[in-house]
Amino acid sequence: MNQSTSTFLGHPKGLFLLFGTEMWERFSYYGMRAILVLYLVATVQDGGFGWSNSEALALYGWFTMAVYLTPVLGGWIADNLLGQRKSIIFGGLLMAVGHFTLGTPQAWLGNSAEMAFYVGLTLLCCGNGLFKPNISTLVGDLYQEGDTRRDGAFTIFYMGINIGAFVAPLVIGYVGEKIDWQLGFIFAGVGMLISVAMQLALSNKYLGSIGIKPSAHGVNSGDEVSAKDRPLTSIERDRVKVILIMSVISIVFWVGYEQGGGLLNIYAKDFTDLNIMGWEMPASWLQAVSAFFVVTLAPVFASLWTKMGDNQPSSPKKFAFSLLLVGIGFLFMVAATMEQGGDLNVKVSVLYLIMTYLFLVLGELCISPIGLSLVSKLAPIKYLSLLMGVWFACSAIANKVAGVVGSFIGEGPEQINNAFSIFAGLTISGFIAGGLVFLMADKLVDWMHGAEDRAQVEHSELDQDPV
Ligand code: GLN
């Protein structure tokens, strides 16, 4: 690797540049997302579009799916045409224009306001496709194959994501709801510009030459032809198999996790005692709990993985833990619905939700940064960003499925029984999937061909002839 070799907290300084870049991008994304539905359902007098809840939630479901599908294309573009660095800049600028389009006062747009709104969302989807997979693969590019700091690095990077996600609803939510919707979107656009400016100003210094050339064209001038034109070796094919299997497994995790913004949000509003010393806290505040847990626990996990070094569990075992942790998390919700005993008027303690969120985050830290790290260490260089896109596409599917699962809560007196069944189902599926992944773990590790094992990597067979 030929980037600057100076380190900070044991990691290349470039990691902290990528941390900051992604923090500001996520600030803009989650800030925009926090006010999107509220803006749509606000009445026209209040500056909104006056849509119904179900219309707004349907659009939200499609948008959050689309935003994570485009990374497949964005990854391909980086691998083959632009390289990761340019993709991030273009993607970031597209997203900034998207936010500013949403932030254009409706009075200036007249009858075209709704049209402009869709154009803005489309720009955000396209921009995210170019940005999200490529910033993630750049983190991995900072480390040599077999470097045991990699999972720790992605966990630190993940902390940046969640600092942005935690602060965004507080700032942009406040500005949008209390002052002006459009100003909220403009704040999001400014956050995005800060992210792009950081990249433009500091990337040459801290990232050296990584991500400048499209990886399918070879990283060093010497391997220009070989990386692009040679077929995959059998080892590389096994590794791609592992990425695909682990990405599909992650869907089970995200379907449970993504209940956070939907079903658990509704449960908080309708069936949870939100009273703090006589004051009713807004249900949406609980949305900040997960990001808070990630920010506080990520350093613990990062140093744990780094300290364990070669003794840390393999990625498939970490995935298995994450599924078991989701299962445990939903046990608290099973207990909550049992306490309600079918009575819609019983409000349960907020601690049930907080414990569930805690376990979901413990699981998240065993799968989300680990998955990013896994893709970055296993993907053949010419498919690196494309496969990162596939990882995010599985989140896209999960987001949509999660919405469908959550909607089984239905209406009326059956809601509590239905919620009980959904929570119990999520617990059982977490346990079963976790158990299966434990059983598969050794095989998956074999298929990685020593990618997680420094000793084996030193004698890597990667240079074998293509088959
Ligand atoms: N919260 C993470 C992020 O915004 C996870 C995204 C995902 O993979 N679903 O980056």
Side-chain angles (χ1 to χ4, degrees), residues 151 305 312-322 366-367 370:
D151 282 6
W305 303 141
Q312 60 191 297
S314 63
S315 302
K317 290 232 167 88
K318 288 177 186 163
F319 271 46
F321 284 130
S322 80
C366 289
I367 197 167
I370 308 306

Side-chain angles (χ1 to χ4, degrees), residues 22 26 29-30 68 132 158 161-162 254 257-258 364 368 391-392 395 399:
E22 177 62 334
R26 290 283 97 183
Y29 173 72
Y30 283 110
Y68 281 127
K132 187 76 169 139
Y158 208 68
I161 289 180
N162 283 279
W254 291 116
Y257 184 88
E258 292 297 343
E364 179 181 7
S368 193
W391 167 260
F392 285 114
S395 280
N399 265 287

Side-chain angles (χ1 to χ4, degrees), residues 128-192:
N128 192 60
L130 279 170
F131 189 101
K132 187 76 169 139
N134 299 319
I135 186 100
S136 314
T137 48
L138 271 182
V139 174
D141 289 347
L142 292 168
Y143 300 85
Q144 301 280 3
E145 188 176 342
D147 191 328
T148 53
R149 293 176 303 169
R150 188 183 291 253
D151 282 6
F154 272 100
T155 307
I156 292 172
F157 176 71
Y158 208 68
M159 195 176 150
I161 289 180
N162 283 279
I163 293 176
F166 176 67
V167 178
L170 304 178
V171 176
I172 295 179
Y174 180 85
V175 172
E177 276 190 78
K178 302 278 182 210
I179 306 175
D180 179 68
W181 301 113
Q182 267 68 36
L183 192 61
F185 293 123
I186 288 169
F187 266 57
V190 171
M192 191 64 248

Side-chain angles (χ1 to χ4, degrees), residues 44-179:
V44 176
Q45 293 93 296
D46 286 339
F49 281 165
W51 287 16
S52 70
N53 280 346
S54 57
E55 284 169 332
L57 286 172
L59 180 109
Y60 180 79
W62 286 113
F63 172 68
T64 50
M65 184 180 83
V67 108
Y68 281 127
L69 275 184
T70 50
V72 179
L73 190 60
W76 184 89
I77 292 174
D79 284 343
N80 292 282
L81 302 173
L82 292 180
Q84 295 132 317
R85 295 259 282 273
K86 277 199 200 107
S87 303
I88 288 171
I89 303 294
F90 282 141
L93 290 175
L94 279 179
M95 284 194 278
V97 178
H99 290 301
F100 291 131
T101 308
L102 299 181
T104 310
Q106 284 191 16
W108 296 4
L109 296 163
N111 289 341
S112 326
E114 204 160 309
M115 175 70 160
F117 173 76
Y118 286 115
V119 170
L121 291 187
T122 308
L123 289 167
L124 289 175
C125 291
C126 297
N128 192 60
L130 279 170
F131 189 101
K132 187 76 169 139
N134 299 319
I135 186 100
S136 314
T137 48
L138 271 182
V139 174
D141 289 347
L142 292 168
Y143 300 85
Q144 301 280 3
E145 188 176 342
D147 191 328
T148 53
R149 293 176 303 169
R150 188 183 291 253
D151 282 6
F154 272 100
T155 307
I156 292 172
F157 176 71
Y158 208 68
M159 195 176 150
I161 289 180
N162 283 279
I163 293 176
F166 176 67
V167 178
L170 304 178
V171 176
I172 295 179
Y174 180 85
V175 172
E177 276 190 78
K178 302 278 182 210
I179 306 175

